[in-house]
Amino acid sequence: MGNQLDELEGPVNEAGRDVNVIHKQIKVEVGVGSLIFQIILWVLGILPGLIFLFMKIKAASYLRQLEQKLQHDASQIDNYLEQRVVILSNVVGLVNKAIDLDKSTFTQIAASRSGFHPNDIERNELASKVDNLSTNLTMTFENYPDLKAHHELADAMQQNSYLQKEITAAREVYNDTVATWNKEIQVWPTKMIVAAKQGYTTRIPFSTTKEIKEKARDVFF
């Protein structure tokens, strides 16, 4: 039998295909077989039933701890986002003193500072808005050479660049934890049975926006 996936013979999609994150939470569900399995354990004796009961308690504790780690990793992103918004707010103020900045920029920065307790969806949208704001300020910075001589502004832009790298790293950590969560809640029998009973669902990892993807295809040099 030959290779089922043959890179030499194809089929090959020469046009390529973009990859997107599916924005959907999948609820963990178990069938009647899982219930029968647990009943059989008790029928076989008290000891097998008790052992599996303790296994489920341990699994429930593990999943709760993993959920707390998800919260921790998400809060790290929020912390960096908040710092970045503060930095960009300072940049807006400094730039406005030098040139007449678009009023919409002030609206964006004010909206971004309105609160930092977002859920997964809001966090992604906020990060996208901050990225767009940063891009606009960077373009302004590049279009006005006199601004580069402003040391406070140059330092702020450097801090903004650093924080963006930290946000990217924090996103990677969060996505790794999401991948672990999505895998662990599907492990049968203990974790999957516990996850189904608790009503757990898969988590959606961070993804970039359509605008960022399009910019990534631009020619920079």
Side-chain angles (χ1 to χ4, degrees), residues 175-192:
N175 281 351
D176 286 344
T177 307
V178 166
T180 300
W181 171 270
N182 291 343
K183 179 185 72 174
E184 294 290 352
I185 61 175
Q186 299 293 340
V187 176
W188 192 87
T190 52
K191 293 173 185 174
M192 193 171 183

mmCIF file with all atom_site columns, all heavy atoms in Angstrom, residues 175-192:
data_model
loop_
_atom_site.group_PDB
_atom_site.id
_atom_site.type_symbol
_atom_site.label_atom_id
_atom_site.label_alt_id
_atom_site.label_comp_id
_atom_site.label_asym_id
_atom_site.label_entity_id
_atom_site.label_seq_id
_atom_site.pdbx_PDB_ins_code
_atom_site.Cartn_x
_atom_site.Cartn_y
_atom_site.Cartn_z
_atom_site.occupancy
_atom_site.B_iso_or_equiv
_atom_site.pdbx_formal_charge
_atom_site.auth_seq_id
_atom_site.auth_comp_id
_atom_site.auth_asym_id
_atom_site.auth_atom_id
_atom_site.pdbx_PDB_model_num
ATOM 1   N N   . ASN A 1 175 ? -2.500  30.136 24.740 1.00 0.00 ? 175 ASN A N   1
ATOM 2   C CA  . ASN A 1 175 ? -2.945  29.165 23.735 1.00 0.00 ? 175 ASN A CA  1
ATOM 3   C C   . ASN A 1 175 ? -2.466  27.758 24.062 1.00 0.00 ? 175 ASN A C   1
ATOM 4   O O   . ASN A 1 175 ? -3.156  26.775 23.771 1.00 0.00 ? 175 ASN A O   1
ATOM 5   C CB  . ASN A 1 175 ? -2.466  29.582 22.341 1.00 0.00 ? 175 ASN A CB  1
ATOM 6   C CG  . ASN A 1 175 ? -3.321  30.682 21.736 1.00 0.00 ? 175 ASN A CG  1
ATOM 7   O OD1 . ASN A 1 175 ? -4.364  31.027 22.279 1.00 0.00 ? 175 ASN A OD1 1
ATOM 8   N ND2 . ASN A 1 175 ? -2.870  31.244 20.625 1.00 0.00 ? 175 ASN A ND2 1
ATOM 9   N N   . ASP A 1 176 ? -1.264  27.640 24.639 1.00 0.00 ? 176 ASP A N   1
ATOM 10  C CA  . ASP A 1 176 ? -0.768  26.321 25.052 1.00 0.00 ? 176 ASP A CA  1
ATOM 11  C C   . ASP A 1 176 ? -1.664  25.736 26.142 1.00 0.00 ? 176 ASP A C   1
ATOM 12  O O   . ASP A 1 176 ? -1.975  24.534 26.129 1.00 0.00 ? 176 ASP A O   1
ATOM 13  C CB  . ASP A 1 176 ? 0.671   26.433 25.574 1.00 0.00 ? 176 ASP A CB  1
ATOM 14  C CG  . ASP A 1 176 ? 1.681   26.639 24.450 1.00 0.00 ? 176 ASP A CG  1
ATOM 15  O OD1 . ASP A 1 176 ? 1.321   26.401 23.281 1.00 0.00 ? 176 ASP A OD1 1
ATOM 16  O OD2 . ASP A 1 176 ? 2.827   27.042 24.740 1.00 0.00 ? 176 ASP A OD2 1
ATOM 17  N N   . THR A 1 177 ? -2.079  26.589 27.086 1.00 0.00 ? 177 THR A N   1
ATOM 18  C CA  . THR A 1 177 ? -2.961  26.123 28.159 1.00 0.00 ? 177 THR A CA  1
ATOM 19  C C   . THR A 1 177 ? -4.337  25.759 27.614 1.00 0.00 ? 177 THR A C   1
ATOM 20  O O   . THR A 1 177 ? -4.952  24.777 28.054 1.00 0.00 ? 177 THR A O   1
ATOM 21  C CB  . THR A 1 177 ? -3.103  27.197 29.254 1.00 0.00 ? 177 THR A CB  1
ATOM 22  O OG1 . THR A 1 177 ? -1.805  27.611 29.696 1.00 0.00 ? 177 THR A OG1 1
ATOM 23  C CG2 . THR A 1 177 ? -3.866  26.661 30.456 1.00 0.00 ? 177 THR A CG2 1
ATOM 24  N N   . VAL A 1 178 ? -4.825  26.544 26.646 1.00 0.00 ? 178 VAL A N   1
ATOM 25  C CA  . VAL A 1 178 ? -6.106  26.231 25.998 1.00 0.00 ? 178 VAL A CA  1
ATOM 26  C C   . VAL A 1 178 ? -6.019  24.870 25.296 1.00 0.00 ? 178 VAL A C   1
ATOM 27  O O   . VAL A 1 178 ? -6.946  24.051 25.386 1.00 0.00 ? 178 VAL A O   1
ATOM 28  C CB  . VAL A 1 178 ? -6.484  27.323 24.977 1.00 0.00 ? 178 VAL A CB  1
ATOM 29  C CG1 . VAL A 1 178 ? -7.619  26.847 24.064 1.00 0.00 ? 178 VAL A CG1 1
ATOM 30  C CG2 . VAL A 1 178 ? -6.910  28.595 25.691 1.00 0.00 ? 178 VAL A CG2 1
ATOM 31  N N   . ALA A 1 179 ? -4.894  24.618 24.615 1.00 0.00 ? 179 ALA A N   1
ATOM 32  C CA  . ALA A 1 179 ? -4.711  23.336 23.928 1.00 0.00 ? 179 ALA A CA  1
ATOM 33  C C   . ALA A 1 179 ? -4.711  22.181 24.928 1.00 0.00 ? 179 ALA A C   1
ATOM 34  O O   . ALA A 1 179 ? -5.299  21.122 24.668 1.00 0.00 ? 179 ALA A O   1
ATOM 35  C CB  . ALA A 1 179 ? -3.408  23.350 23.130 1.00 0.00 ? 179 ALA A CB  1
ATOM 36  N N   . THR A 1 180 ? -4.062  22.401 26.087 1.00 0.00 ? 180 THR A N   1
ATOM 37  C CA  . THR A 1 180 ? -4.049  21.378 27.129 1.00 0.00 ? 180 THR A CA  1
ATOM 38  C C   . THR A 1 180 ? -5.457  21.122 27.657 1.00 0.00 ? 180 THR A C   1
ATOM 39  O O   . THR A 1 180 ? -5.884  19.971 27.827 1.00 0.00 ? 180 THR A O   1
ATOM 40  C CB  . THR A 1 180 ? -3.133  21.808 28.298 1.00 0.00 ? 180 THR A CB  1
ATOM 41  O OG1 . THR A 1 180 ? -1.805  21.994 27.804 1.00 0.00 ? 180 THR A OG1 1
ATOM 42  C CG2 . THR A 1 180 ? -3.120  20.756 29.398 1.00 0.00 ? 180 THR A CG2 1
ATOM 43  N N   . TRP A 1 181 ? -6.190  22.211 27.910 1.00 0.00 ? 181 TRP A N   1
ATOM 44  C CA  . TRP A 1 181 ? -7.578  22.086 28.397 1.00 0.00 ? 181 TRP A CA  1
ATOM 45  C C   . TRP A 1 181 ? -8.434  21.311 27.397 1.00 0.00 ? 181 TRP A C   1
ATOM 46  O O   . TRP A 1 181 ? -9.147  20.378 27.775 1.00 0.00 ? 181 TRP A O   1
ATOM 47  C CB  . TRP A 1 181 ? -8.160  23.475 28.637 1.00 0.00 ? 181 TRP A CB  1
ATOM 48  C CG  . TRP A 1 181 ? -9.633  23.490 28.919 1.00 0.00 ? 181 TRP A CG  1
ATOM 49  C CD1 . TRP A 1 181 ? -10.648 23.596 27.996 1.00 0.00 ? 181 TRP A CD1 1
ATOM 50  C CD2 . TRP A 1 181 ? -10.280 23.368 30.197 1.00 0.00 ? 181 TRP A CD2 1
ATOM 51  N NE1 . TRP A 1 181 ? -11.868 23.560 28.617 1.00 0.00 ? 181 TRP A NE1 1
ATOM 52  C CE2 . TRP A 1 181 ? -11.678 23.419 29.971 1.00 0.00 ? 181 TRP A CE2 1
ATOM 53  C CE3 . TRP A 1 181 ? -9.810  23.235 31.499 1.00 0.00 ? 181 TRP A CE3 1
ATOM 54  C CZ2 . TRP A 1 181 ? -12.606 23.338 31.003 1.00 0.00 ? 181 TRP A CZ2 1
ATOM 55  C CZ3 . TRP A 1 181 ? -10.740 23.146 32.535 1.00 0.00 ? 181 TRP A CZ3 1
ATOM 56  C CH2 . TRP A 1 181 ? -12.120 23.197 32.279 1.00 0.00 ? 181 TRP A CH2 1
ATOM 57  N N   . ASN A 1 182 ? -8.375  21.715 26.134 1.00 0.00 ? 182 ASN A N   1
ATOM 58  C CA  . ASN A 1 182 ? -9.199  21.078 25.105 1.00 0.00 ? 182 ASN A CA  1
ATOM 59  C C   . ASN A 1 182 ? -8.871  19.598 24.947 1.00 0.00 ? 182 ASN A C   1
ATOM 60  O O   . ASN A 1 182 ? -9.742  18.797 24.591 1.00 0.00 ? 182 ASN A O   1
ATOM 61  C CB  . ASN A 1 182 ? -9.027  21.805 23.770 1.00 0.00 ? 182 ASN A CB  1
ATOM 62  C CG  . ASN A 1 182 ? -9.642  23.193 23.774 1.00 0.00 ? 182 ASN A CG  1
ATOM 63  O OD1 . ASN A 1 182 ? -10.455 23.511 24.644 1.00 0.00 ? 182 ASN A OD1 1
ATOM 64  N ND2 . ASN A 1 182 ? -9.270  24.015 22.815 1.00 0.00 ? 182 ASN A ND2 1
ATOM 65  N N   . LYS A 1 183 ? -7.620  19.242 25.197 1.00 0.00 ? 183 LYS A N   1
ATOM 66  C CA  . LYS A 1 183 ? -7.225  17.835 25.104 1.00 0.00 ? 183 LYS A CA  1
ATOM 67  C C   . LYS A 1 183 ? -7.674  17.054 26.342 1.00 0.00 ? 183 LYS A C   1
ATOM 68  O O   . LYS A 1 183 ? -8.230  15.959 26.220 1.00 0.00 ? 183 LYS A O   1
ATOM 69  C CB  . LYS A 1 183 ? -5.700  17.739 24.959 1.00 0.00 ? 183 LYS A CB  1
ATOM 70  C CG  . LYS A 1 183 ? -5.173  16.304 24.876 1.00 0.00 ? 183 LYS A CG  1
ATOM 71  C CD  . LYS A 1 183 ? -3.658  16.276 24.852 1.00 0.00 ? 183 LYS A CD  1
ATOM 72  C CE  . LYS A 1 183 ? -3.096  16.638 26.217 1.00 0.00 ? 183 LYS A CE  1
ATOM 73  N NZ  . LYS A 1 183 ? -1.619  16.480 26.279 1.00 0.00 ? 183 LYS A NZ  1
ATOM 74  N N   . GLU A 1 184 ? -7.453  17.635 27.518 1.00 0.00 ? 184 GLU A N   1
ATOM 75  C CA  . GLU A 1 184 ? -7.712  16.911 28.765 1.00 0.00 ? 184 GLU A CA  1
ATOM 76  C C   . GLU A 1 184 ? -9.196  16.627 28.989 1.00 0.00 ? 184 GLU A C   1
ATOM 77  O O   . GLU A 1 184 ? -9.554  15.573 29.525 1.00 0.00 ? 184 GLU A O   1
ATOM 78  C CB  . GLU A 1 184 ? -7.151  17.696 29.953 1.00 0.00 ? 184 GLU A CB  1
ATOM 79  C CG  . GLU A 1 184 ? -5.637  17.815 29.965 1.00 0.00 ? 184 GLU A CG  1
ATOM 80  C CD  . GLU A 1 184 ? -4.938  16.497 30.268 1.00 0.00 ? 184 GLU A CD  1
ATOM 81  O OE1 . GLU A 1 184 ? -5.621  15.512 30.616 1.00 0.00 ? 184 GLU A OE1 1
ATOM 82  O OE2 . GLU A 1 184 ? -3.707  16.438 30.163 1.00 0.00 ? 184 GLU A OE2 1
ATOM 83  N N   . ILE A 1 185 ? -10.061 17.539 28.604 1.00 0.00 ? 185 ILE A N   1
ATOM 84  C CA  . ILE A 1 185 ? -11.495 17.310 28.851 1.00 0.00 ? 185 ILE A CA  1
ATOM 85  C C   . ILE A 1 185 ? -12.074 16.233 27.932 1.00 0.00 ? 185 ILE A C   1
ATOM 86  O O   . ILE A 1 185 ? -13.225 15.813 28.114 1.00 0.00 ? 185 ILE A O   1
ATOM 87  C CB  . ILE A 1 185 ? -12.321 18.609 28.691 1.00 0.00 ? 185 ILE A CB  1
ATOM 88  C CG1 . ILE A 1 185 ? -12.199 19.165 27.263 1.00 0.00 ? 185 ILE A CG1 1
ATOM 89  C CG2 . ILE A 1 185 ? -11.905 19.645 29.724 1.00 0.00 ? 185 ILE A CG2 1
ATOM 90  C CD1 . ILE A 1 185 ? -13.082 20.373 27.019 1.00 0.00 ? 185 ILE A CD1 1
ATOM 91  N N   . GLN A 1 186 ? -11.268 15.778 26.971 1.00 0.00 ? 186 GLN A N   1
ATOM 92  C CA  . GLN A 1 186 ? -11.731 14.716 26.071 1.00 0.00 ? 186 GLN A CA  1
ATOM 93  C C   . GLN A 1 186 ? -11.136 13.362 26.445 1.00 0.00 ? 186 GLN A C   1
ATOM 94  O O   . GLN A 1 186 ? -11.344 12.379 25.731 1.00 0.00 ? 186 GLN A O   1
ATOM 95  C CB  . GLN A 1 186 ? -11.340 15.060 24.620 1.00 0.00 ? 186 GLN A CB  1
ATOM 96  C CG  . GLN A 1 186 ? -11.931 16.346 24.089 1.00 0.00 ? 186 GLN A CG  1
ATOM 97  C CD  . GLN A 1 186 ? -13.433 16.306 23.918 1.00 0.00 ? 186 GLN A CD  1
ATOM 98  O OE1 . GLN A 1 186 ? -14.025 15.237 23.839 1.00 0.00 ? 186 GLN A OE1 1
ATOM 99  N NE2 . GLN A 1 186 ? -14.065 17.470 23.852 1.00 0.00 ? 186 GLN A NE2 1
ATOM 100 N N   . VAL A 1 187 ? -10.386 13.307 27.552 1.00 0.00 ? 187 VAL A N   1
ATOM 101 C CA  . VAL A 1 187 ? -9.760  12.055 27.970 1.00 0.00 ? 187 VAL A CA  1
ATOM 102 C C   . VAL A 1 187 ? -10.785 11.200 28.722 1.00 0.00 ? 187 VAL A C   1
ATOM 103 O O   . VAL A 1 187 ? -11.227 11.567 29.810 1.00 0.00 ? 187 VAL A O   1
ATOM 104 C CB  . VAL A 1 187 ? -8.528  12.320 28.865 1.00 0.00 ? 187 VAL A CB  1
ATOM 105 C CG1 . VAL A 1 187 ? -7.948  10.997 29.373 1.00 0.00 ? 187 VAL A CG1 1
ATOM 106 C CG2 . VAL A 1 187 ? -7.464  13.091 28.083 1.00 0.00 ? 187 VAL A CG2 1
ATOM 107 N N   . TRP A 1 188 ? -11.142 10.071 28.131 1.00 0.00 ? 188 TRP A N   1
ATOM 108 C CA  . TRP A 1 188 ? -12.120 9.162  28.731 1.00 0.00 ? 188 TRP A CA  1
ATOM 109 C C   . TRP A 1 188 ? -11.396 8.076  29.513 1.00 0.00 ? 188 TRP A C   1
ATOM 110 O O   . TRP A 1 188 ? -10.300 7.669  29.114 1.00 0.00 ? 188 TRP A O   1
ATOM 111 C CB  . TRP A 1 188 ? -12.974 8.533  27.611 1.00 0.00 ? 188 TRP A CB  1
ATOM 112 C CG  . TRP A 1 188 ? -14.181 7.802  28.106 1.00 0.00 ? 188 TRP A CG  1
ATOM 113 C CD1 . TRP A 1 188 ? -15.415 8.331  28.357 1.00 0.00 ? 188 TRP A CD1 1
ATOM 114 C CD2 . TRP A 1 188 ? -14.262 6.409  28.413 1.00 0.00 ? 188 TRP A CD2 1
ATOM 115 N NE1 . TRP A 1 188 ? -16.265 7.353  28.809 1.00 0.00 ? 188 TRP A NE1 1
ATOM 116 C CE2 . TRP A 1 188 ? -15.581 6.163  28.853 1.00 0.00 ? 188 TRP A CE2 1
ATOM 117 C CE3 . TRP A 1 188 ? -13.351 5.351  28.385 1.00 0.00 ? 188 TRP A CE3 1
ATOM 118 C CZ2 . TRP A 1 188 ? -16.018 4.895  29.238 1.00 0.00 ? 188 TRP A CZ2 1
ATOM 119 C CZ3 . TRP A 1 188 ? -13.767 4.096  28.776 1.00 0.00 ? 188 TRP A CZ3 1
ATOM 120 C CH2 . TRP A 1 188 ? -15.094 3.878  29.191 1.00 0.00 ? 188 TRP A CH2 1
ATOM 121 N N   . PRO A 1 189 ? -11.897 7.616  30.660 1.00 0.00 ? 189 PRO A N   1
ATOM 122 C CA  . PRO A 1 189 ? -13.250 7.910  31.142 1.00 0.00 ? 189 PRO A CA  1
ATOM 123 C C   . PRO A 1 189 ? -13.332 9.040  32.175 1.00 0.00 ? 189 PRO A C   1
ATOM 124 O O   . PRO A 1 189 ? -14.299 9.787  32.189 1.00 0.00 ? 189 PRO A O   1
ATOM 125 C CB  . PRO A 1 189 ? -13.662 6.575  31.768 1.00 0.00 ? 189 PRO A CB  1
ATOM 126 C CG  . PRO A 1 189 ? -12.384 5.995  32.294 1.00 0.00 ? 189 PRO A CG  1
ATOM 127 C CD  . PRO A 1 189 ? -11.309 6.414  31.323 1.00 0.00 ? 189 PRO A CD  1
ATOM 128 N N   . THR A 1 190 ? -12.345 9.135  33.069 1.00 0.00 ? 190 THR A N   1
ATOM 129 C CA  . THR A 1 190 ? -12.507 10.012 34.239 1.00 0.00 ? 190 THR A CA  1
ATOM 130 C C   . THR A 1 190 ? -12.723 11.477 33.884 1.00 0.00 ? 190 THR A C   1
ATOM 131 O O   . THR A 1 190 ? -13.731 12.087 34.261 1.00 0.00 ? 190 THR A O   1
ATOM 132 C CB  . THR A 1 190 ? -11.293 9.879  35.172 1.00 0.00 ? 190 THR A CB  1
ATOM 133 O OG1 . THR A 1 190 ? -10.093 10.083 34.416 1.00 0.00 ? 190 THR A OG1 1
ATOM 134 C CG2 . THR A 1 190 ? -11.254 8.515  35.819 1.00 0.00 ? 190 THR A CG2 1
ATOM 135 N N   . LYS A 1 191 ? -11.758 12.075 33.164 1.00 0.00 ? 191 LYS A N   1
ATOM 136 C CA  . LYS A 1 191 ? -11.816 13.518 32.911 1.00 0.00 ? 191 LYS A CA  1
ATOM 137 C C   . LYS A 1 191 ? -13.007 13.893 32.027 1.00 0.00 ? 191 LYS A C   1
ATOM 138 O O   . LYS A 1 191 ? -13.655 14.918 32.242 1.00 0.00 ? 191 LYS A O   1
ATOM 139 C CB  . LYS A 1 191 ? -10.505 13.986 32.277 1.00 0.00 ? 191 LYS A CB  1
ATOM 140 C CG  . LYS A 1 191 ? -9.311  13.879 33.212 1.00 0.00 ? 191 LYS A CG  1
ATOM 141 C CD  . LYS A 1 191 ? -8.022  14.186 32.481 1.00 0.00 ? 191 LYS A CD  1
ATOM 142 C CE  . LYS A 1 191 ? -6.817  13.966 33.405 1.00 0.00 ? 191 LYS A CE  1
ATOM 143 N NZ  . LYS A 1 191 ? -5.540  14.111 32.699 1.00 0.00 ? 191 LYS A NZ  1
ATOM 144 N N   . MET A 1 192 ? -13.286 13.062 31.053 1.00 0.00 ? 192 MET A N   1
ATOM 145 C CA  . MET A 1 192 ? -14.397 13.359 30.139 1.00 0.00 ? 192 MET A CA  1
ATOM 146 C C   . MET A 1 192 ? -15.735 13.269 30.861 1.00 0.00 ? 192 MET A C   1
ATOM 147 O O   . MET A 1 192 ? -16.636 14.099 30.633 1.00 0.00 ? 192 MET A O   1
ATOM 148 C CB  . MET A 1 192 ? -14.361 12.410 28.947 1.00 0.00 ? 192 MET A CB  1
ATOM 149 C CG  . MET A 1 192 ? -15.265 12.817 27.802 1.00 0.00 ? 192 MET A CG  1
ATOM 150 S SD  . MET A 1 192 ? -14.958 11.794 26.330 1.00 0.00 ? 192 MET A SD  1
ATOM 151 C CE  . MET A 1 192 ? -16.091 12.576 25.171 1.00 0.00 ? 192 MET A CE  1
#
